[in-house]
Amino acid sequence: MRASRMTIAALAVVAGLSLTACQNDDAATDRNDSGASSAASAPSSANGGSSSGDSAQDQGTAKDSNQDQGTVAGTGSNRGGTVGKCRTDELEVTAKDATVGGDTDGTVAVEFTNGGGRDCAISGYAGVDLKTNAGSLSAERTGEQAPSVVLKDGQSVSFAVTYPVNDSGGSGVRITGLVVTPPDETKSVSLDWPGGASLPVTDGSGTPVKVGPIGSAGQGG
């Protein structure tokens, strides 16, 4: 009986040791699994950090791309692909006598020279007023077709002002100056009058002074 009790006790001790060993193995397995799970999730975090870095790099690349796609504002005639109108401040305006001997009318050629540093467009009729001792006298358009002209920097274009020559022997209407306003502008330029000193006195039915379109020849178009 004593031997039987000892055997049973020994078996109980062995069983207890076996159970403890199994529990320790299970605990170790759980720890290993937990560590493996943490280790498995670590690359995910690393990948997440790499993705964030890539995103920032992509944003920087996109910013650089946007800067590369930016357009540089054009200047002068290249702006918007069109040629801007000639402005008074860009034009040098001169006038000279262009009368040819034997003509019944006198002619003054007015010249616009582009000094604006860019190409510019000019067309139509300039405004022309003669200053006289009897007041201002506005020239009347001839009605000719006005071509469109593009003036490169430094180039010139002329138009003609025609007027009746005073051969009456009288003093007539004395001309004291010339005022020119480029087409589509409001700013004028005052010049000395290079033509005949006076106009014949008329009955007042209309102006005897005519202006041709931009680009017309020096003989009144």
Side-chain angles (χ1 to χ4, degrees):
M1 179 64 70
R2 184 179 178 181
S4 178
R5 287 196 187 99
M6 292 178 65
T7 301
I8 292 173
L11 291 174
V13 171
V14 172
L17 293 173
S18 298
L19 179 59
T20 301
C22 289
Q23 290 174 347
N24 291 338
D25 290 342
D26 292 340
T29 301
D30 292 340
R31 287 195 297 269
N32 290 338
D33 290 344
S34 176
S37 177
S38 299
S41 64
S44 176
S45 298
N47 289 339
S50 174
S51 175
S52 176
D54 291 343
S55 176
Q57 184 176 1
D58 292 343
Q59 290 174 359
T61 302
K63 183 178 180 181
D64 293 341
S65 176
N66 289 337
Q67 289 176 346
D68 292 342
Q69 291 175 2
T71 57
V72 179
T75 58
S77 61
N78 295 327
R79 183 174 298 169
T82 59
V83 177
K85 292 181 180 179
C86 297
R87 301 304 182 189
T88 302
D89 290 337
E90 299 175 310
L91 298 173
E92 179 186 355
V93 187
T94 57
K96 63 181 181 180
D97 185 16
T99 303
V100 176
D103 283 355
T104 57
D105 287 334
T107 301
V108 167
V110 179
E111 183 176 77
F112 289 141
T113 300
N114 180 10
R118 67 179 182 98
D119 296 355
C120 65
I122 188 168
S123 63
Y125 285 80
V128 173
D129 295 284
L130 270 59
K131 294 180 179 180
T132 76
N133 61 341
S136 180
L137 180 65
S138 296
E140 183 180 294
R141 297 178 179 183
T142 61
E144 299 170 74
Q145 182 68 32
S148 295
V149 178
V150 174
L151 283 182
K152 293 187 178 296
D153 187 36
Q155 287 188 339
S156 302
V157 67
S158 300
F159 65 91
V161 179
T162 58
Y163 60 96
V165 176
N166 182 19
D167 55 4
S168 65
S171 60
V173 178
R174 185 167 56 88
I175 304 173
T176 58
L178 172 66
V179 179
V180 177
T181 308
D184 302 317
E185 284 288 275
T186 57
K187 186 175 182 179
S188 302
V189 177
S190 295
L191 304 171
D192 292 333
W193 173 252
S198 64
L199 300 173
V201 176
T202 65
D203 58 6
S205 58
T207 175
V209 182
K210 307 290 183 181
V211 56
I214 300 296
S216 62
Q219 288 303 302

